[in-house]
Amino acid sequence: MPVVMPIYGTRPEAIKMAPIVAALKASDHFACVVTVTGQHREMLDQVNELFGITPDHDLDILYPGQSLSDILTRTISGLDKLFAVSKPDVVVVQGDTTTSTAAAIAAFYAGIPVVHAEAGLRSHNLFSPYPEEANRKITTQIASLHLAPTSTSKQNLLNEGVKAEDIVVTGNTVIDALLTTVGKKIPFIDPALEELAASGQKILLVTTHRRENQGETMRGVGRALARIADSHPDMVIVLPVHKNPVVREAVLPAIAGKTNVMVTEPLAYGEFTRMISMSHIVLTDSGGVQEEAPSLGIPVLVMRDNTERPEAVVAGSVKLIGAGEERIVHEVNRLLADSAYFQSMAMAVNPYGDGQAAERTVAAIAGLLGIGARVKDFSS
Ligand code: UD1
Ligand code: UDP
């Protein structure tokens, strides 16, 4: 039986890989061997625990202040050793983190075919997001099978010369993950969040972590949140803050002591998706959140100048606002003041998937291995 090895290392990869792991384990055609790099630790383990995944191999590479090259080299050398004793028939990587590109390189060097899930996203700016745009382009060069979430991402790959027969449009497995959790109304561990849910207060949900926003720009995000909190005492700002100390040092000082700002540890995925669904507005620089909130009909203000996820921007539920302090304050105020404008953004759109992406992924892997027919492309 062919051995398929999903390899992942961070929270968003874990969330998007979990449905693929479940579908592989449910299949009679494959043995699924899960390898994690541990690029993230707590935030990775939190997701694996929720989805009941116990990795078969853990490279445990994280150390505080890790550089991009640390992640790359520790992943490649760890996988090199692993492949010497346990060589899978196929490796699956997800998205654009340094774990995913390092794993693709290690597999390619070991002569193992690489399946790239969430292939073909492009901002068309090599430095934004950094280093993710470069990571995903590198992975494209060495993958054998490209699983594009949408027809736009497929077109990006075709434009770069990838052969049509090597691309399958699967949808994004984030929607599979979302649909399995969001209906469950998972209880919040923190009683203060359960009280907030019961209060019915307006919520502005915020996440920030992007490397290119760190430093002075992110301090400005903190100042913008402080000003919004002061001018809207009736609204609660919820900030599940990333584990990165660089993020915490930048964003937290300005909002310290604000009674209507709730800073939490990273929420478990089920709690976080419930929090999205309770929110009035989402303000974020995250990739995954740009895909989830639109499908729940929550307006999203994205603190970036560009996006590799243009579909929900075109549909009208996501707006790119940059990460400048003044613009953030202005855009949040506008959504709060203008109900017609708010309504125009608060519609549920689902360009990213139908919940069947993991099934298509597994069928596409079977096709790659010559044990299944070509999969029909997802279209929204
Ligand atoms: C990484 C990815 C980014 C992705 C993001 C998701 C790269 C280069 N970046 O960025 O594409 O959007 O994850 O969140 O691959 N830390 C912990 N515990 C954790 C997680 C992080 O302590 O569970 C701390 C460590 O001090 C670490 C720092 O956060 O050094 C940064 O983590 P890192 O994975 O290097 O970068 P992210 O900004 O998380
Ligand atoms: N997320 C979570 N808990 C949180 C914040 C985010 O489970 O406290 C989830 C979110 O639903 C999304 C993913 O983490 O699926 C996004 O991760 P992140 O923003 O760290 O990375 P990106 O998507 O930008 O690569």
Side-chain angles (χ1 to χ4, degrees), residues 11-12 15 174 209-210 240 242 266-269 272 286-289 292:
R11 169 173 67 191
I15 290 165
V174 77
H209 72 84
R210 285 255 85 78
H242 194 284
L267 295 175
Y269 184 63
F272 186 76
S286 162
V289 178
E292 293 158 339

Side-chain angles (χ1 to χ4, degrees), residues 61-275:
I61 64 162
L62 175 99
Y63 63 88
Q66 60 194 358
S67 71
L68 297 175
S69 294
D70 289 333
I71 301 167
L72 184 86
T73 53
R74 285 159 69 84
T75 297
I76 291 179
S77 80
L79 288 176
D80 193 34
K81 290 187 189 86
L82 177 62
F83 294 154
V85 291
S86 167
K87 199 166 171 178
D89 295 285
V90 177
V91 151
V92 186
V93 301
Q94 199 289 329
D96 52 21
T97 66
T98 294
T99 277
S100 67
T101 298
I105 293 170
F108 180 73
Y109 283 174
I112 303 165
V114 174
V115 175
H116 186 198
E118 199 182 72
L121 275 64
R122 296 290 185 268
S123 68
H124 306 289
N125 179 340
L126 202 55
F127 297 95
S128 174
Y130 176 86
E132 290 83 2
E133 179 78 355
N135 282 348
R136 50 197 171 219
K137 290 181 85 168
I138 294 166
T139 303
T140 294
Q141 303 312 307
I142 52 182
S144 298
L145 174 63
H146 311 259
L147 303 177
T150 67
S151 55
T152 306
S153 40
K154 175 178 181 178
Q155 191 57 50
N156 288 335
L157 293 168
L158 292 172
N159 294 348
E160 292 176 13
V162 178
K163 289 195 219 118
E165 63 260 35
D166 296 336
I167 308 171
V168 175
V169 182
T170 53
N172 198 314
T173 53
V174 77
I175 303 300
D176 303 29
L178 181 68
L179 295 179
T180 59
T181 51
V182 79
K184 290 186 181 157
K185 222 180 160 196
I186 289 174
F188 294 111
I189 292 173
D190 181 349
L193 294 180
E194 212 48 74
E195 270 170 42
L196 174 64
S199 76
Q201 271 177 292
K202 231 173 225 182
I203 296 169
L204 172 67
L205 176 61
V206 183
T207 77
T208 182
H209 72 84
R210 285 255 85 78
R211 245 181 175 78
E212 61 276 15
N213 285 347
Q214 288 168 9
E216 182 45 34
T217 305
M218 210 170 269
R219 275 192 282 281
V221 171
R223 290 192 296 272
L225 297 182
R227 286 167 60 186
I228 294 165
D230 286 343
S231 53
H232 301 282
D234 50 325
M235 182 171 74
V236 176
I237 298 177
V238 177
L239 174 66
V241 69
H242 194 284
K243 277 283 179 195
N244 192 345
V246 174
V247 170
R248 293 179 176 215
E249 281 154 24
V251 80
L252 296 184
I255 51 179
K258 302 278 176 206
T259 51
N260 58 334
V261 179
M262 295 178 69
V263 176
T264 74
E265 286 300 313
L267 295 175
Y269 184 63
E271 295 186 54
F272 186 76
T273 54
R274 182 175 168 209
M275 186 57 74

Side-chain angles (χ1 to χ4, degrees), residues 340-357:
Y341 177 54
F342 176 87
Q343 285 309 329
S344 75
M345 285 186 74
M347 62 212 163
V349 294
N350 235 332
Y352 299 112
D354 59 357
Q356 308 298 314

